[in-house]
Amino acid sequence: MQTHFSLAQLADPTIAEAEGILRNCVHCGFCTATCPTYVLLGDELDSPRGRIYLIKDMLENDRPANANVVKHIDRCLSCLACTTTCPSGVDYMHLVDGARARIEKTYTRPLADRWFRALLAALLPYPKRFRVALLGAAMVRPFAGLFGMAMGGRIAAMFRLAPRYLSPPDDSDRPGSSLAAGARVKRVALLTGCAQPVLRPEINAATIRLLTRHGVEVVVAEGAGCCGALSHHMGKEAAAADMARANVDAWWQLKLTGGLDAIVINASGCGTTVKDYAHMLASDPDYADKAAELAAMTVDVTELCADLDLTVAKPPEAGRVTYHSACSMQHGQKITQLPKQLLTQAGFAVAEVPEGHLCCGSAGTYNLLQPQLAERLKARKLGHIASTHPDVIATGNIGCMMQLGSGTDVPVVHTVELLDWASGGPKPAALEPDSMRAS
């Protein structure tokens, strides 16, 4: 793609980076076939190619974001299916992230929109606040329909997605070390996350059991918290960078004091972000090198499991497991076959989802900010999942679990819960007959 930036514009590192990305685009349009919003809406401006043109025009002309740009960028899920499809290697992720940041800086959203986004940014990354908010939302949940299309359906969606039941906090989420059973083969830091310990604390507990059973010491670092993804994808760069720095500080201290073999992430949306810390903190001279080193050590829990030669202690009785690959897993981290292989090796009968490359509509806060599109994507995804006749749905991302669970009676569990069960751990709570785990 030909660009027309001035030398003065290119002196700005963010513009220079965007220009390099734009020049890689060859207008081929392959991305449109795998873009969820283009598939739903058929609008060129709701495709990656269309958004690229909007971003190019905004940046070349050094204009603030306008309402049209904001509408189409906001509709983007950042699912990154386009990056898997693109034959030219266009770095759409960083281009659209930059556009979101520019929107945040140059566009004044309507008051209600600003309020809602501020509310999400103030609650979701902080587990204690989030738990209190969910307890309140659970009481309002039965009346969610009364809010109708207020704020574009956002209020109703917020209460509708609130779970009916919250488990109490789990000790596994507290800072500390869980020692390996037997001889230690690895020492890793586990990011427990922000929303996940509130919504499904059993995921971190299962992760620790599984890893320690196979000789891994698991450390939850003091001071580590939200990865920054939720703030980052709302264009709040400074807040996201501060969260990244806090995690870098916490993990670097562990590395210095006892050594680390890896940083393990069991929510693929977080994993995509932490693996990008080198880019996020590249301009910070105090953190750039440390962030790059730690990002290079970051693995999804299934990547670590592949190195551990997992044992199967008992034949699983889960029936047919349909594996849903989160976008952040398959497109963000390019991990496609490994989770299915691990489940198969553990004795599960695994089915794949037709049209599995399309997003389920969760996408961080997307199902709250764009509830109508998210509902259409959820219905489409669940329709394809139903065609596989599953007894269980497995996935590796908490956002997908909550999104899918809100529209089906089929139990939705994390991949690591099944692997833990097969190798000697307890049966996942969601599979128990009296489970209250429906979202």
Side-chain angles (χ1 to χ4, degrees), residues 392-412:
V392 185
I393 301 167
T395 188
N397 190 55
I398 183 63
C400 300
M401 292 176 68
M402 302 310 294
Q403 173 78 343
L404 297 175
S406 68
T408 179
D409 292 328
V410 179
V412 184

mmCIF file of all heavy atoms in Angstrom, residues 392-412:
data_model
loop_
_atom_site.group_PDB
_atom_site.id
_atom_site.type_symbol
_atom_site.label_atom_id
_atom_site.label_comp_id
_atom_site.label_asym_id
_atom_site.label_seq_id
_atom_site.Cartn_x
_atom_site.Cartn_y
_atom_site.Cartn_z
ATOM 1 N N VAL A 392 -19.443 -32.042 26.656
ATOM 2 C CA VAL A 392 -18.652 -31.024 27.349
ATOM 3 C C VAL A 392 -18.048 -30.108 26.297
ATOM 4 O O VAL A 392 -17.675 -30.564 25.202
ATOM 5 C CB VAL A 392 -17.497 -31.652 28.178
ATOM 6 C CG1 VAL A 392 -16.758 -30.573 28.978
ATOM 7 C CG2 VAL A 392 -17.998 -32.739 29.092
ATOM 8 N N ILE A 393 -17.949 -28.824 26.616
ATOM 9 C CA ILE A 393 -17.213 -27.872 25.779
ATOM 10 C C ILE A 393 -15.960 -27.476 26.546
ATOM 11 O O ILE A 393 -16.031 -27.112 27.724
ATOM 12 C CB ILE A 393 -18.059 -26.619 25.467
ATOM 13 C CG1 ILE A 393 -19.343 -27.003 24.738
ATOM 14 C CG2 ILE A 393 -17.252 -25.611 24.638
ATOM 15 C CD1 ILE A 393 -20.368 -25.880 24.669
ATOM 16 N N ALA A 394 -14.814 -27.552 25.897
ATOM 17 C CA ALA A 394 -13.550 -27.170 26.520
ATOM 18 C C ALA A 394 -12.932 -26.010 25.757
ATOM 19 O O ALA A 394 -13.013 -25.951 24.516
ATOM 20 C CB ALA A 394 -12.575 -28.345 26.554
ATOM 21 N N THR A 395 -12.308 -25.105 26.484
ATOM 22 C CA THR A 395 -11.611 -23.989 25.868
ATOM 23 C C THR A 395 -10.533 -23.496 26.823
ATOM 24 O O THR A 395 -10.498 -23.916 27.987
ATOM 25 C CB THR A 395 -12.583 -22.857 25.485
ATOM 26 O OG1 THR A 395 -11.893 -21.871 24.726
ATOM 27 C CG2 THR A 395 -13.208 -22.216 26.714
ATOM 28 N N GLY A 396 -9.684 -22.608 26.355
ATOM 29 C CA GLY A 396 -8.553 -22.147 27.158
ATOM 30 C C GLY A 396 -8.601 -20.683 27.497
ATOM 31 O O GLY A 396 -7.547 -20.084 27.758
ATOM 32 N N ASN A 397 -9.797 -20.092 27.526
ATOM 33 C CA ASN A 397 -9.902 -18.665 27.819
ATOM 34 C C ASN A 397 -11.171 -18.391 28.611
ATOM 35 O O ASN A 397 -12.267 -18.791 28.208
ATOM 36 C CB ASN A 397 -9.907 -17.851 26.522
ATOM 37 C CG ASN A 397 -9.775 -16.377 26.774
ATOM 38 O OD1 ASN A 397 -8.839 -15.929 27.433
ATOM 39 N ND2 ASN A 397 -10.702 -15.595 26.248
ATOM 40 N N ILE A 398 -11.026 -17.690 29.717
ATOM 41 C CA ILE A 398 -12.153 -17.449 30.610
ATOM 42 C C ILE A 398 -13.262 -16.641 29.930
ATOM 43 O O ILE A 398 -14.443 -16.887 30.147
ATOM 44 C CB ILE A 398 -11.681 -16.746 31.916
ATOM 45 C CG1 ILE A 398 -12.844 -16.544 32.890
ATOM 46 C CG2 ILE A 398 -10.981 -15.442 31.616
ATOM 47 C CD1 ILE A 398 -13.481 -17.812 33.379
ATOM 48 N N GLY A 399 -12.900 -15.684 29.080
ATOM 49 C CA GLY A 399 -13.917 -14.892 28.395
ATOM 50 C C GLY A 399 -14.814 -15.751 27.523
ATOM 51 O O GLY A 399 -16.050 -15.603 27.531
ATOM 52 N N CYS A 400 -14.212 -16.676 26.781
ATOM 53 C CA CYS A 400 -14.988 -17.585 25.944
ATOM 54 C C CYS A 400 -15.877 -18.488 26.799
ATOM 55 O O CYS A 400 -17.016 -18.789 26.437
ATOM 56 C CB CYS A 400 -14.070 -18.449 25.088
ATOM 57 S SG CYS A 400 -13.008 -17.531 23.965
ATOM 58 N N MET A 401 -15.348 -18.929 27.923
ATOM 59 C CA MET A 401 -16.126 -19.796 28.808
ATOM 60 C C MET A 401 -17.407 -19.103 29.268
ATOM 61 O O MET A 401 -18.488 -19.701 29.249
ATOM 62 C CB MET A 401 -15.277 -20.203 30.018
ATOM 63 C CG MET A 401 -14.118 -21.124 29.690
ATOM 64 S SD MET A 401 -13.077 -21.474 31.132
ATOM 65 C CE MET A 401 -14.208 -22.446 32.134
ATOM 66 N N MET A 402 -17.291 -17.848 29.664
ATOM 67 C CA MET A 402 -18.463 -17.128 30.149
ATOM 68 C C MET A 402 -19.424 -16.809 29.002
ATOM 69 O O MET A 402 -20.645 -16.894 29.162
ATOM 70 C CB MET A 402 -18.030 -15.841 30.848
ATOM 71 C CG MET A 402 -17.068 -16.058 32.020
ATOM 72 S SD MET A 402 -17.622 -17.312 33.213
ATOM 73 C CE MET A 402 -19.083 -16.510 33.885
ATOM 74 N N GLN A 403 -18.876 -16.449 27.847
ATOM 75 C CA GLN A 403 -19.708 -16.131 26.692
ATOM 76 C C GLN A 403 -20.509 -17.347 26.242
ATOM 77 O O GLN A 403 -21.737 -17.286 26.067
ATOM 78 C CB GLN A 403 -18.823 -15.613 25.552
ATOM 79 C CG GLN A 403 -19.523 -15.388 24.221
ATOM 80 C CD GLN A 403 -20.333 -14.104 24.159
ATOM 81 O OE1 GLN A 403 -20.655 -13.495 25.176
ATOM 82 N NE2 GLN A 403 -20.671 -13.684 22.956
ATOM 83 N N LEU A 404 -19.842 -18.471 26.056
ATOM 84 C CA LEU A 404 -20.522 -19.679 25.595
ATOM 85 C C LEU A 404 -21.465 -20.217 26.665
ATOM 86 O O LEU A 404 -22.581 -20.652 26.368
ATOM 87 C CB LEU A 404 -19.492 -20.741 25.213
ATOM 88 C CG LEU A 404 -18.560 -20.394 24.053
ATOM 89 C CD1 LEU A 404 -17.509 -21.485 23.868
ATOM 90 C CD2 LEU A 404 -19.332 -20.178 22.765
ATOM 91 N N GLY A 405 -21.022 -20.181 27.925
ATOM 92 C CA GLY A 405 -21.834 -20.706 29.007
ATOM 93 C C GLY A 405 -23.138 -19.957 29.196
ATOM 94 O O GLY A 405 -24.111 -20.521 29.714
ATOM 95 N N SER A 406 -23.162 -18.689 28.754
ATOM 96 C CA SER A 406 -24.386 -17.902 28.911
ATOM 97 C C SER A 406 -25.459 -18.274 27.897
ATOM 98 O O SER A 406 -26.582 -17.779 27.986
ATOM 99 C CB SER A 406 -24.063 -16.403 28.770
ATOM 100 O OG SER A 406 -23.687 -16.077 27.436
ATOM 101 N N GLY A 407 -25.124 -19.170 26.947
ATOM 102 C CA GLY A 407 -26.100 -19.504 25.915
ATOM 103 C C GLY A 407 -26.335 -20.987 25.707
ATOM 104 O O GLY A 407 -26.971 -21.385 24.731
ATOM 105 N N THR A 408 -25.809 -21.822 26.620
ATOM 106 C CA THR A 408 -25.980 -23.262 26.441
ATOM 107 C C THR A 408 -26.066 -23.943 27.794
ATOM 108 O O THR A 408 -25.550 -23.440 28.801
ATOM 109 C CB THR A 408 -24.797 -23.868 25.647
ATOM 110 O OG1 THR A 408 -24.989 -25.281 25.506
ATOM 111 C CG2 THR A 408 -23.466 -23.639 26.349
ATOM 112 N N ASP A 409 -26.725 -25.101 27.823
ATOM 113 C CA ASP A 409 -26.776 -25.919 29.033
ATOM 114 C C ASP A 409 -25.645 -26.939 29.072
ATOM 115 O O ASP A 409 -25.475 -27.642 30.074
ATOM 116 C CB ASP A 409 -28.121 -26.653 29.121
ATOM 117 C CG ASP A 409 -29.287 -25.699 29.357
ATOM 118 O OD1 ASP A 409 -29.075 -24.663 30.020
ATOM 119 O OD2 ASP A 409 -30.397 -25.985 28.868
ATOM 120 N N VAL A 410 -24.867 -27.029 27.989
ATOM 121 C CA VAL A 410 -23.728 -27.945 27.972
ATOM 122 C C VAL A 410 -22.635 -27.378 28.878
ATOM 123 O O VAL A 410 -22.313 -26.188 28.783
ATOM 124 C CB VAL A 410 -23.195 -28.129 26.535
ATOM 125 C CG1 VAL A 410 -21.977 -29.063 26.529
ATOM 126 C CG2 VAL A 410 -24.279 -28.661 25.619
ATOM 127 N N PRO A 411 -22.057 -28.177 29.769
ATOM 128 C CA PRO A 411 -21.011 -27.657 30.644
ATOM 129 C C PRO A 411 -19.817 -27.130 29.836
ATOM 130 O O PRO A 411 -19.404 -27.755 28.853
ATOM 131 C CB PRO A 411 -20.601 -28.875 31.478
ATOM 132 C CG PRO A 411 -21.727 -29.832 31.366
ATOM 133 C CD PRO A 411 -22.350 -29.599 30.018
ATOM 134 N N VAL A 412 -19.292 -25.998 30.269
ATOM 135 C CA VAL A 412 -18.115 -25.396 29.633
ATOM 136 C C VAL A 412 -16.995 -25.377 30.658
ATOM 137 O O VAL A 412 -17.141 -24.792 31.740
ATOM 138 C CB VAL A 412 -18.401 -23.964 29.137
ATOM 139 C CG1 VAL A 412 -17.191 -23.413 28.391
ATOM 140 C CG2 VAL A 412 -19.636 -23.931 28.243
#
